[in-house]
Amino acid sequence: YYLAGRPNSGKTSLFNLLAGARERVGNYAGCTVEKKTADVDWFGQGISLTDLPGIISIKPNSIDEKVALRELDNAPLEAGVLAVVDGNNLPQELELPLLLKERGYSVTVAVNMMDEVRANRKILNLAGMRDLAGIPFFGISAKTGEGVEALKKFLAEREENKAGNRRPIANLDNKSVAHILDQVEPEASRIVSPNLTESKNRPLESATDRIDAFLTHRLLGPIVFLSAMFLLFQSVFAWAAPASDLIESALSATGDWLRLVVPGELLSSLVVDGILAGVGAVLVFVPQIAILFTLIALLELSGYLPRAAYMIDRVMKPYGLDGKVFVPLLSSMACAVPGIMAARSVENPRSRLVTIMISPLMTCSARLPVYTLLIATFVPATRVSGLSLQGLVMAGMYVLGIVMALVTALVLRFSLSTIEGRRIDFIHLPRYRWPSFKNVIYYVKIRVFSFLRKAGTIIAGMSILLWAILSFPRDNSFVGAQKELKAGIQASASLSEEAKAAALEHIEQRLAQHQLEFSLGGRIGKLVEPIFAPLGYDWKLSIGLLASL
């Protein structure tokens, strides 16, 4: 079964509930869009589940939609589709299941958030909708688990009886797709209208409408948004610093221990300076990424993040971008890698490319140690109007990154004019709801492990490669001579212990200096030294510049 649904319909929450801890995360063939699958056993029947990216229509705008529809087109003939819809917004949500049915799929509809439907004093006649639509409907709540067992039993029985076989999909051209899209809206209304009863005591204005009147207000909305973003980043840096410091201390202690227990100087250097240093370079940023994505998850799953994108949309319009670039750019404040990955949700090809190109201009957490060192060195620790000058300069670095990103976007708007890209003015605003703790944890886990898997492997691999370049070849004759000299100093009876320690340390420094100069990296540094000499850099600093790439 393939789980399909609009964004914010609760599709992934249902998948998490159905799959338990058995999900596997990979990529769809030929692209970096994540694919979540699971094998489950319901009532003695083995079933394979696949959670598709969000789909709004069978005429796709985003890469995610194209990937999801391609996956359905290539699905086995016996596969079925479990369409997840938000029961609070059925007339619009039902359009997707009807479109999928029209394409030939065997569709089962899971009407999610039935607990909210009742709280909003609505009554849905699911049996009546089944009779009119010709497809089964099940009322569920992915948050509470309501109705999920009945849905499992139905899907298991259908799988056992092979009643879920679908006919081959018709080859739809643009004309037939447009015709289906024109017909499906009145069809959805025809099915829902007679089977939806709303209480007369139901307030005309919902809680979501009342909250939106404040949070998306032209004046108050931006103030709330800026305040939320300020608190978000303050929380990230305040909460992540102790965890990052703890990881650094643990890695340092582990390195010292490994140098003592790993036999052989070369092997010890590989383990500590190559492997552990590479892993540590990634792990130290995990707390900031985890905390940022936890806060983003709370904002997104509560329904506020799409409102932020809606407000940002007005600001981004002059730059040829839309509000959907907000999430990738916000993610880039933690690390540009997940930010660039998130850019696939931007439908407009030109906006997507511009977003990818300006994401690295955001001030990410990897730059904070550099900024902190430079600011502490060059900016005096004075106060301006009661505020720390150093803190103001740090804030200015963030502002500078955003300003330069917008300037770059403005330039790219015209220089990339040959790339097709129409502006998408549709931003789906879901209802506000309390985020599920389990879904927040899952959201963060997927993104942190994705960062570790995709960025971590490259960074760790490059760290080991850099170690090898700076360690080989080795001048064995010089190393042997220094070892003999060390042995002579240790055996000397005329030197005090302090003098021996100082002499041995001097030899170690000279040995490291010679090895660096003799290595492939040192030779490359000597080769490029004339290029950087006007800056006052020697060959060692030249190596550092090349390594930073």
Side-chain angles (χ1 to χ4, degrees), residues 256-267:
D256 293 340
W257 176 73
L258 287 173
R259 288 189 192 277
L260 297 175
V261 300
V262 175
E265 180 185 346
L266 195 60
L267 180 60

Side-chain angles (χ1 to χ4, degrees), residues 26-255:
N27 286 339
Y28 287 98
C31 62
T32 57
V33 177
E34 286 186 342
K35 174 181 185 178
K36 293 188 282 292
T37 58
D39 295 321
V40 296
D41 191 305
W42 296 337
F43 303 95
Q45 188 67 41
I47 296 175
S48 176
L49 300 175
T50 299
D51 181 24
L52 296 173
I55 307 173
I56 295 176
S57 169
I58 59 171
K59 190 175 182 180
N61 285 315
S62 70
I63 294 177
D64 283 18
E65 286 185 282
K66 291 178 182 177
V67 169
L69 291 171
R70 187 188 71 186
E71 186 75 6
L72 284 175
D73 286 343
N74 296 330
L77 289 177
E78 67 274 8
V81 176
L82 177 59
V84 185
V85 299
D86 181 352
N88 296 293
N89 194 28
L90 262 187
Q92 287 74 38
E93 294 273 335
L94 192 58
E95 292 177 10
L96 178 62
L98 295 178
L99 289 170
L100 294 173
K101 179 193 174 189
E102 194 68 30
R103 291 198 76 180
Y105 297 100
S106 174
V107 178
T108 302
V109 179
V111 182
N112 195 17
M113 306 176 196
M114 288 298 292
D115 51 336
E116 294 183 16
V117 171
R118 288 191 297 272
N120 292 324
R121 300 177 184 176
K122 295 180 181 180
I123 300 175
L124 295 175
N125 180 10
L126 299 181
M129 284 191 275
R130 178 196 62 203
D131 294 339
L132 290 176
I135 50 181
F137 284 76
F138 285 85
I140 67 158
S141 171
K143 184 177 181 180
T144 65
E146 171 192 342
V148 172
E149 285 302 312
L151 176 63
K152 287 181 180 179
K153 186 173 182 181
F154 174 82
L155 296 177
E157 290 175 352
R158 168 167 278 193
E159 179 72 14
E160 184 179 10
N161 299 327
K162 297 299 180 184
N165 289 5
R166 60 173 173 84
R167 64 181 182 275
I169 298 174
N171 184 19
L172 301 177
D173 55 23
N174 289 332
K175 185 176 180 180
S176 59
V177 168
H179 175 72
I180 292 174
L181 292 173
D182 290 339
Q183 297 296 317
V184 75
E185 185 175 347
E187 176 67 8
S189 180
R190 183 185 72 85
I191 294 169
V192 174
S193 295
N195 295 295
L196 172 61
T197 304
E198 300 190 42
S199 172
K200 294 180 180 179
N201 297 325
R202 182 174 176 267
L204 296 176
E205 189 180 36
S206 67
T208 292
D209 295 331
R210 292 194 297 273
I211 297 173
D212 273 344
F214 175 72
L215 292 183
T216 60
H217 189 274
R218 279 191 171 272
L219 179 60
L220 297 176
I223 295 175
V224 173
F225 166 72
L226 291 174
S227 301
M229 293 301 102
F230 175 79
L231 292 174
L232 185 148
F233 286 110
Q234 285 296 311
S235 301
V236 167
F237 300 132
W239 297 343
S244 297
D245 292 343
L246 183 63
I247 291 175
E248 283 187 325
S249 300
L251 289 170
S252 177
T254 303

